[in-house]
Amino acid sequence: GNLGTLKDEAPEIVQNIAHFRKVSVGQIDTSERKAWMQKVTMGSKPASDDVAAFMAGIIDAVGTMSSQDHGMLLLPSGFSAMSDLCSALQAVGNVSSMVGGQWVLRNRINWITAVGLHVHPQLSKLYVPLLGSHTNKNMALLEVHTTFPSIGAGGTTWVTKVRKALKAWESSHPGYKAELSGGASEAADTGAEIVAGMKTYLTVITGGIMVVVYVSFHSVLIPLRLGLALIFTLAATFGVGAIVYQTPLLHGLFPGLKYFNGISYQVFPMVTGICIALGLDYDIFLVSRIVEFRQARFTDRASIFRGMTKTGDVISGAGIIMSLAFSGLLFSDKLMFQQFGVLLITSVLFDTFVVRTVLVPAMMLIAQEWNWWPRRMPPPIHDVLEGEVQSCGGLSAPILGGEALQENSFGRARHHEG
């Protein structure tokens, strides 16, 4: 009913609002708001009561939102920056709705709309408390609701993508900083810290083990070869885990795998420690036997073959028993325990039937006498493998002619051994 009056007063109203949009932060105080309200209500053209009340509400809303405590956050530039932030979050995907001073459910709120919501007699009762609960001085809260459970499968991946989007948003909006918390953020942060610390953990543990092995065998190459074997086992173990839990290759056989989204960060340190311990145990057991044969003056080749023959059954049996013991974890209701079981079984079987059976003997056969450097071994006099029969009547003759066999830790050596 006051449309005509509003049209007549529109230029002055727009001028008044433009003033409050252009002034710097902190320049609007209570006395100035009262002066402008008086100018609107008592200007050259008397304003109607409705228009005066409307303008008074707008001036008060603009003054409140332009408070120095809020910085640029509730000014037009702040609303524009927050609107860009909401768009960046939507671009990541899987966003169902957002709630905040600049976005309500699925509706974007710009600065002009926010001022209008302050003035509206009914909507102000909803928006003003919402803005107050989601704004604290120069900080704002934006609730993001995803299409999947926030701590469910895919949560940490989504958090990682959002944080990359936030960095891009910060670079394009200097002076603003955004952080993501809640949901899977804590799990993502913990996982990132654990993965980042694994390099130091592996370096310290592997280095310490190599020092102990060097002191035990007085050899440089044995600890180096041991470290390489341990890293190879870990790489193969987690590689199998990635194939099982991060690809759909086995979803046809095991439909439950589709609910996994990678390996849990909690599994990494536990599996790594146990894999290193088991691999070290088997390796030391094998190499110790080989060293005993070499000290008994067998050649490097014969010592390696005999050591493999003497320890193969024990290591294989221990590996199978250990795998059966860990298999109970596969039937657990906890997803983490299932992953724990799969990775441990993979590590034990791989270490038992690939690393200690193929990789370690092959590397030691290539190195030959360099396996023991700088340690000096006695000259070899036996070159017969376990079960090997020579053409000279089936006897094992010394390779150094005329040198008598000596007493050793295996009892009295005999020419017919083998």
Side-chain angles (χ1 to χ4, degrees):
N2 299 317
L3 182 59
T5 305
L6 186 60
K7 286 182 177 179
D8 294 337
E9 300 170 352
E12 190 171 3
I13 293 173
V14 172
Q15 182 181 358
N16 296 338
I17 296 178
H19 167 77
F20 283 101
R21 292 190 62 178
K22 293 180 179 179
V23 294
S24 60
V25 178
Q27 289 181 339
I28 302 177
D29 54 19
T30 304
S31 60
E32 188 172 359
R33 288 203 300 271
K34 291 181 178 180
W36 278 98
M37 289 169 59
Q38 185 178 9
K39 183 178 180 180
V40 172
T41 57
M42 300 179 63
S44 58
K45 293 183 180 180
S48 65
D49 293 340
D50 293 341
V51 174
F54 178 73
M55 278 303 304
I58 289 179
I59 294 172
D60 188 65
V62 173
T64 302
M65 295 171 63
S66 303
S67 173
Q68 188 174 5
D69 292 339
H70 296 308
M72 303 292 293
L73 188 61
L74 298 183
L75 292 178
S77 59
F79 270 79
S80 177
M82 290 296 294
S83 178
D84 294 341
L85 175 61
C86 294
S87 299
L89 293 175
Q90 283 188 319
V92 174
N94 296 318
V95 176
S96 174
S97 62
M98 292 178 283
V99 177
Q102 295 75 18
W103 193 289
V104 179
L105 299 180
R106 296 178 177 86
N107 301 301
R108 191 186 304 269
I109 306 296
N110 56 29
W111 184 83
I112 297 177
T113 304
V115 173
L117 290 173
H118 270 82
V119 177
H120 196 280
Q122 284 78 35
L123 295 180
S124 62
K125 298 178 181 179
L126 298 176
Y127 182 72
V128 173
L130 173 65
L131 186 64
S133 63
H134 288 71
T135 305
N136 182 16
K137 295 183 179 181
N138 62 344
M139 297 181 292
L141 171 65
L142 179 64
E143 299 180 40
V144 182
H145 300 268
T146 57
T147 57
F148 55 87
S150 60
I151 58 175
T156 55
T157 303
W158 185 83
V159 168
T160 303
K161 293 180 180 179
V162 167
R163 285 179 171 166
K164 291 181 180 178
L166 294 182
K167 290 183 180 295
W169 177 81
E170 289 177 351
S171 62
S172 60
H173 295 81
Y176 290 90
K177 183 179 180 180
E179 296 181 355
L180 181 66
S181 63
S185 300
E186 183 178 356
D189 293 337
T190 306
E193 289 293 331
I194 289 178
V195 172
M198 288 300 294
K199 294 181 180 179
T200 304
Y201 173 74
L202 286 175
T203 301
V204 173
I205 295 300
T206 305
I209 290 174
M210 292 172 64
V211 170
V212 173
V213 172
Y214 172 78
V215 173
S216 301
F217 293 98
H218 305 288
S219 169
V220 173
L221 196 60
I222 288 179
L224 292 176
R225 194 264 316 144
L226 173 61
L228 181 62
L230 292 177
I231 294 175
F232 186 73
T233 300
L234 290 174
T237 299
F238 289 112
V240 171
I243 293 175
V244 173
Y245 296 110
Q246 296 181 205
T247 65
L249 295 179
L250 300 178
H251 288 184
L253 294 176
F254 306 100
L257 291 176
K258 64 182 179 181
Y259 300 108
F260 289 87
N261 189 55
I263 302 174
S264 173
Y265 66 89
Q266 298 170 309
V267 174
F268 273 96
M270 294 187 292
V271 170
T272 300
I274 295 178
C275 289
I276 290 177
L278 293 177
L280 176 65
D281 183 55
Y282 292 162
D283 194 289
I284 295 299
F285 185 39
L286 172 61
V287 174
S288 298
R289 194 64 168 156
I290 294 175
V291 170
E292 290 178 357
F293 280 110
R294 184 62 187 85
Q295 289 177 331
R297 307 189 70 176
F298 284 88
T299 63
D300 296 307
R301 172 175 171 268
S303 299
I304 294 170
F305 275 91
R306 286 176 174 269
M308 285 293 302
T309 302
K310 295 295 184 181
T311 62
D313 294 341
V314 177
I315 293 178
S316 299
I320 294 175
I321 294 173
M322 191 72 69
S323 300
L324 293 175
F326 289 143
S327 63
L329 295 171
L330 300 177
F331 303 97
S332 173
D333 294 333
K334 298 290 186 179
L335 301 182
M336 184 188 72
F337 291 159
Q338 295 179 20
Q339 292 184 344
F340 195 57
V342 169
L343 293 177
L344 286 180
I345 292 173
T346 301
S347 174
V348 170
L349 294 180
F350 189 83
D351 195 74
T352 301
F353 297 104
V354 177
V355 175
R356 308 306 157 204
T357 306
V358 178
L359 183 62
V360 171
M363 295 176 67
M364 296 190 71
L365 284 172
I366 293 173
Q368 293 289 328
E369 67 272 8
W370 288 101
N371 285 309
W372 325 114
W373 186 86
R375 181 178 182 178
R376 296 181 62 85
M377 288 292 187
I381 61 174
H382 302 288
D383 192 28
V384 179
L385 308 182
E386 186 79 9
E388 186 179 53
V389 179
Q390 286 186 339
S391 59
C392 54
L395 298 178
S396 172
I399 62 174
L400 297 179
E403 185 167 349
L405 298 181
Q406 299 177 358
E407 188 79 10
N408 54 65
S409 58
F410 302 102
R412 185 173 301 278
R414 295 171 295 179
H415 286 284
H416 62 272
E417 182 178 356

